[in-house]
Amino acid sequence: MLKLENVVTHYGNIQALKGISLEISRGEIATVIGANGAGKTTTLKAICGLVGVTSGKIFFEEKDITGKPTPDIVSSGIAMVPEGRRIFPRMSVLENLQLGAYLNNDKNDVRKDMERVFELFPILKQRLKQVAGTLSGGEQQMLAIGRALMAKPRLLLLDEPSMGLAPMIVSSIFDIITEINQSGTTILLVEQNAQMALSIAHKGYVLETGRIVMEDTAENLLHNEQVKKAYLGE
């Protein structure tokens, strides 16, 4: 479904990604783990067209999307939940969700998508008129995921969904990520909580200073001695 071939990106003179290649099949959860500054967020931004690709190719459903404008990439079926949630804090929960559906002009369709979001996150229905910036951290994360789902993505990119959340909320968010995947959405998950990410993923990639140094099934990576030592605190 998604394929990166030797993707290189730069921030000015700094090379952030140094030729990474990865593949995700339809229906999978794939995760990219690594330390801060390894290039995890840059990988997602490159897929979404938010960072220019210096060289290499990105394919989505066998179509070359390298260098395409971000709105075109979203309309092709990819949505991203950014690091730090990035909701619109002065707008209501409802307005945030409606903005996620800005490409969809079918009001009935938008209503159905919103009901699906409420099934996943019932608390958002209770908070519809509330100003988004006054939600708790966990509720804001739910809103950010819900807003992305309003774009009807076939591929959902998640950037550090556990960041700053209490362990109980993290567990709940990851249960919902699994549920979203089981309902048919392919997921690429970037996450510092390697233990949690690998526990729900099908495959994993380890990124170090802009290079993929390891790839395997998530289960194998969970039991890999190097991974355990470097990322699982064992």
Side-chain angles (χ1 to χ4, degrees):
M1 188 178 208
L2 179 75
K3 186 175 185 179
L4 276 64
E5 292 183 349
N6 299 312
V7 170
V8 174
T9 67
H10 285 80
Y11 292 110
N13 293 325
I14 298 169
Q15 192 176 29
L17 299 181
K18 302 171 182 176
I20 71 164
S21 299
L22 59 82
E23 289 187 26
I24 305 170
S25 299
R26 192 179 306 279
E28 283 187 326
I29 299 177
T31 186
V32 178
I33 62 173
N36 273 337
K40 304 187 303 295
T41 294
T42 301
T43 300
L44 299 189
K45 285 183 173 180
I47 294 166
C48 287
L50 296 169
V51 171
V53 174
T54 310
S55 63
K57 294 285 185 183
I58 301 173
F59 297 93
F60 177 59
E61 295 178 332
E62 300 184 355
K63 293 178 182 174
D64 187 350
I65 61 168
T66 317
K68 297 268 188 193
T70 300
D72 292 352
I73 292 170
V74 174
S75 63
S76 76
I78 299 176
M80 178 175 169
V81 180
E83 181 181 356
R85 302 179 272 279
R86 303 289 182 91
I87 58 164
F88 298 98
R90 295 181 183 179
M91 301 178 78
S92 70
V93 167
L94 175 60
E95 288 166 334
N96 270 268
L97 292 173
Q98 288 171 332
L99 280 171
Y102 78 97
L103 288 171
N104 191 348
N105 295 317
D106 186 329
K107 288 185 179 179
N108 287 330
D109 204 30
V110 170
R111 196 176 298 116
K112 287 177 188 173
D113 291 339
M114 203 167 288
E115 285 303 324
R116 182 193 172 208
V117 169
F118 296 152
E119 285 174 16
L120 290 166
F121 306 111
I123 192 69
L124 295 182
K125 193 168 188 177
Q126 299 171 29
R127 302 271 196 270
L128 264 189
K129 294 182 180 178
Q130 188 169 328
V131 176
T134 64
L135 298 174
S136 70
E139 290 165 352
Q140 288 186 22
Q141 186 64 66
M142 292 174 190
L143 178 57
I145 295 172
R147 181 182 61 187
L149 291 176
M150 291 297 293
K152 300 173 79 74
R154 295 187 296 284
L155 174 64
L156 181 63
L157 311 180
L158 295 167
D159 193 357
E160 304 284 5
S162 76
M163 181 179 283
L165 301 182
M168 189 180 297
I169 301 296
V170 171
S171 180
S172 174
I173 291 289
F174 274 78
D175 285 345
I176 290 165
I177 291 169
T178 302
E179 190 176 337
I180 292 167
N181 173 249
Q182 288 172 346
S183 70
T185 305
T186 305
I187 292 173
L188 176 56
L189 168 66
V190 156
E191 181 56 64
Q192 268 196 293
N193 187 336
Q195 180 82 44
M196 188 68 84
L198 291 170
S199 71
I200 69 163
H202 300 97
K203 69 161 66 162
Y205 295 87
V206 179
L207 195 59
E208 288 182 6
T209 58
R211 290 188 173 91
I212 288 172
V213 296
M214 201 180 302
E215 61 180 274
D216 207 333
T217 65
E219 188 174 357
N220 285 347
L221 288 175
L222 265 175
H223 297 100
N224 181 284
E225 290 304 320
Q226 278 180 276
V227 172
K228 284 162 77 171
K229 193 173 181 180
Y231 302 107
L232 304 181
E234 296 181 20

